[in-house]
């Protein structure tokens, strides 16, 4: 992620000041001639260029040749300490931007393209993304093992009370862990592994406790509340392992649940055996997460103290809450709508998953790989395009291509899940359109988040989630809500992404 350009007002201008002293004695085209009593020294003896800008162009040849816009050269000059006053004194130009424009015109463009020596920092391992996609999708099998725990006769807001408690605790876990992961990544990015370990050691258990308490406050059958508590603990442990890059450990922890779910689909299994399998996966995940945290805490003590404001995580917490709400509405919106419309007060359990949620969770690995792929191709475009307009067109085409691949995959997964999921309604054009708008909105939001637009994405997604919740409770069809809410969010995010991601400085 490229950071803002910083001007260095103190010591960075020392080179320019030294040149000022040297060049004050040199003849300049816009300077008055020396006094008659002095003897002018021929320029050939001084071995100087008639225009000092020629010397600067030679010195900054590499920077100017790789630039796709004069503003890049101007940013470099300002970061090196060249002020407008020094531009006039040294080079006879009114400001640093004029100097940059003339340098851009004088130095020939050189775009060799990516070479073997060019190290792109956004290269992603596709197999690692596949593994991450599996660990995102496999937890859904746990709902098959715990399906009997959600049977309830009391309904709240169109859902069985147990399912409502589980849904709200899930929202708390998603939002909390989104902020926790961002903060931990921030520590790791600064080389503070021990600080990241402390953050995870405190944040993960607290988040699990808050999520489990939310489920108990809502109320419901004891089995459903225990499942919600176990899920909160698992999500906290999974956050630790994913942040620390231990996806394979998480895959090992999910193996018992995956095998158990396969057995449940084939034969009838007592609930006690199902519970033991769920506890085995939970215990493995928590144990492996604790092991990795201890390894971080044993890392070398950081030499200097560094503080990260906690409020910086607020937009990421809100973003996690919004994404969780939009996803749950996609999976459970039809159940809530039917209950609100018919006024049902009794019912069996609602399905915690569905074709739409299965398609979204299975696509998360591809979504992450495409995010890396976009950034890698955008960085490569900096070295192969000749103008700022060409770079904007190139990155726009890359963005559309990545989005097309992702949405096509989501559509294929949704169609397959609809065929395989027992009792799933037929896939219609409006339902598919709503899912694609949701998937496109979430992918664009994640991409903009990676470029530092966390508040914009959080507020847009939160507004869409709030509008869908309000409409759902008043009996509006969930498909219509998703078309409107996610469609509006997708339009806003696209309008932001085009100008922002078309700037060369965003990819530096």
């Amino acid at each position: 992620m490229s950071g803002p350009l910083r001007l260095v007002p103190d010591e960075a201008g020392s080179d320019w000041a030294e040149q000022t002293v040297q060049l004050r004695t040199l003849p300049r085209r816009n300077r008055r001639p020396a006094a008659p009593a002095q003897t002018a020294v021929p320029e050939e003896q001084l071995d100087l260029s008639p225009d000092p800008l020629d010397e600067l162009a030679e010195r900054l040849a590499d920077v100017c040749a790789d630039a796709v816009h004069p503003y890049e050269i101007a940013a470099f000059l300002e970061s090196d300490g060249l002020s407008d006053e020094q531009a006039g004194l040294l080079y006879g130009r009114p400001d640093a931007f004029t100097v940059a424009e003339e340098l851009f015109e004088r130095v020939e463009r050189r775009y060799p393209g990516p070479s073997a020596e060019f190290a792109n920092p956004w290269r992603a391992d596709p197999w690692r993304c596949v593994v991450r996609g599996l660990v995102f999708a496999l937890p859904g099998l746990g709902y098959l093992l715990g399906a009997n725990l959600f049977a309830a006769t009391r309904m709240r807001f169109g859902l069985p009370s147990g399912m409502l408690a589980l849904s709200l605790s899930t929202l708390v876990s998603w939002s909390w862990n989104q902020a926790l992961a961002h903060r931990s990544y921030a520590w790791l990015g600064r080389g503070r592994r021990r600080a990241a370990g402390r953050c995870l050691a405190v944040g993960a258990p607290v988040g699990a406790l808050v999520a489990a308490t939310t489920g108990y406050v809502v109320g419901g059958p004891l089995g459903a509340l225990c499942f919600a508590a176990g899920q909160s603990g698992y999500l906290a442990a999974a956050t630790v392992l994913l942040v620390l890059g231990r996806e394979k450990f998480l895959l090992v922890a999910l193996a018992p649940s995956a095998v158990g779910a396969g057995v449940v689909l084939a034969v009838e299994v007592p609930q006690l055996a199902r519970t033991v399998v769920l506890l085995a996966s939970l215990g493995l995940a928590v144990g492996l997460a604790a092991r990795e945290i201890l390894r971080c805490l044993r890392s070398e003590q950081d030499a200097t103290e560094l503080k990260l404001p906690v409020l910086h995580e607020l937009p990421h917490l809100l973003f996690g809450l919004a994404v969780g709400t939009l996803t749950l509405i996609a999976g459970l919106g039809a159940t809530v709508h039917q209950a609100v419309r018919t006024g049902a007060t009794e019912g069996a359990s609602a399905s915690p998953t569905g074709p739409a949620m299965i398609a979204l969770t299975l696509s998360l690995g591809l979504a992450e790989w495409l995010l890396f792929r976009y950034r890698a191709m955008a960085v490569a475009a900096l070295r192969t395009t000749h103008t700022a307009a060409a770079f904007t067109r190139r990155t726009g085409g890359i963005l559309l291509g990545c989005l097309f691949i992702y949405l096509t995959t989501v559509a294929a997964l949704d169609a397959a899940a609809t065929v395989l999921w027992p009792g799933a309604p037929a896939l219609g054009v409006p339902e598919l359109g709503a899912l694609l708008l949701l998937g496109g909105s979430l992918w664009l939001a994640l991409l903009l988040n990676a470029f530092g637009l966390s508040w914009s994405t959080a507020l847009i997604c939160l507004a869409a989630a709030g509008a869908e919740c309000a409409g759902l409770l008043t009996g509006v069809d969930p498909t219509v809500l998703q078309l409107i809410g996610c469609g509006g969010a997708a339009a806003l995010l696209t309008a932001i992404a085009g100008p922002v991601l078309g700037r060369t400085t965003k990819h530096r």
Side-chain angles (χ1 to χ4, degrees), residues 33-52:
Q38 297 179 350
T39 303
V41 181
E43 292 181 359
E44 292 78 4
Q45 296 183 15
L46 292 174
D47 193 22
L48 295 172
S49 169
D51 189 346

Side-chain angles (χ1 to χ4, degrees), residues 60-87:
L60 301 182
D62 292 338
V63 176
C64 299
D66 290 340
V68 297
H69 196 277
Y71 286 174
E72 291 189 54
I73 304 175
F76 179 85
L77 293 175
E78 289 188 351
S79 67
D80 206 28
L82 179 66
S83 64
D84 292 342
E85 180 182 1
Q86 291 168 336

